[in-house]
Amino acid sequence: AKDYELRQYETAKWVSTVIRGETQKEAMRQGFWKLFHYIQGKNEKEMKIDMTVPVTCLIKPGCTDFKISFFVPFEHQDSPPQPTDLDVFIEERKAAAIFVRSFGGFASPEKYAEEAEVLARILRNRGQPFHEDFFYTAGYDSPFKLFNRHNEVWYFKK
């Protein structure tokens, strides 16, 4: 469709952390740095791992827990090094069909929420069943990239 796409993602491992009781913006900042330290070698193998995109954040409206995640690079999918920070963990996300809406610019929590609401409205209007109780934000760019930025919101298909 012109205003969203449906993607099929395979089962994959992500390195994640949950930040509780902060604003979404602050949770993203804290979570990013915890995960960045992991890929910089704060893991059992003291191994540096390439940065990947997207950086995702699980949003449950009305909840102040945010799960921030980095995709584990393909070469480490079979056996990612275990984190040494107790707040960081490896999770396996099962294969899923995901509705995706993309947008540009610098994405604020408000902009992500607005785009998620637009996507939810489109999906409801088209009779597409999806899990409405949560969505993911996905950011693809360094904060230093000024132009042609790429952001997404994801809803999982039922």
Side-chain angles (χ1 to χ4, degrees):
K2 72 181 191 314
D3 36 16
Y4 72 91
E5 58 186 296
L6 177 59
R7 294 186 194 149
Q8 180 65 42
Y9 281 98
E10 299 307 314
T11 297
K13 292 189 179 83
W14 294 70
V15 59
S16 302
T17 188
V18 175
I19 306 295
R20 294 183 170 83
E22 296 288 352
T23 64
Q24 182 180 338
K25 188 171 185 167
E26 179 59 18
M28 281 295 294
R29 189 189 70 75
Q30 288 182 24
F32 177 90
W33 285 110
K34 280 186 174 290
L35 299 174
F36 188 76
H37 292 308
Y38 167 81
I39 66 170
Q40 287 298 300
K42 194 172 180 186
N43 57 62
E44 66 180 7
K45 295 181 182 168
E46 297 183 354
M47 177 189 290
K48 281 195 173 213
I49 298 168
D50 290 337
M51 176 78 201
T52 59
V53 290
V55 176
T56 64
C57 181
L58 173 62
I59 308 289
K60 295 179 181 177
C63 178
T64 58
D65 292 0
F66 299 97
K67 182 171 66 175
I68 296 87
S69 307
F70 288 1
F71 179 77
V72 172
F74 292 110
E75 62 268 26
H76 299 294
Q77 279 286 318
D78 289 339
S79 59
Q82 287 305 304
T84 52
D85 180 335
L86 298 176
D87 293 335
V88 177
F89 56 95
I90 304 293
E91 67 169 321
E92 184 170 273
R93 293 189 194 165
K94 299 294 178 212
I98 300 176
F99 294 108
V100 177
R101 180 171 171 83
S102 300
F103 60 98
F106 280 89
S108 64
E110 296 75 21
K111 181 66 174 165
Y112 276 124
E114 180 186 309
E115 293 291 338
E117 186 44 52
V118 169
L119 178 55
R121 189 169 43 239
I122 291 166
L123 295 174
R124 283 187 211 105
N125 288 344
R126 300 208 176 137
Q128 292 282 7
F130 66 102
H131 292 277
E132 297 193 38
D133 52 332
F134 69 93
F135 66 92
Y136 279 91
T137 66
Y140 287 81
D141 301 304
S142 147
F144 306 109
K145 182 174 181 182
L146 301 180
F147 302 103
N148 300 316
R149 296 180 62 81
H150 184 82
N151 314 288
E152 297 174 348
V153 289
W154 298 353
Y155 275 111
F156 282 57
K157 184 175 177 158
K158 276 190 174 172

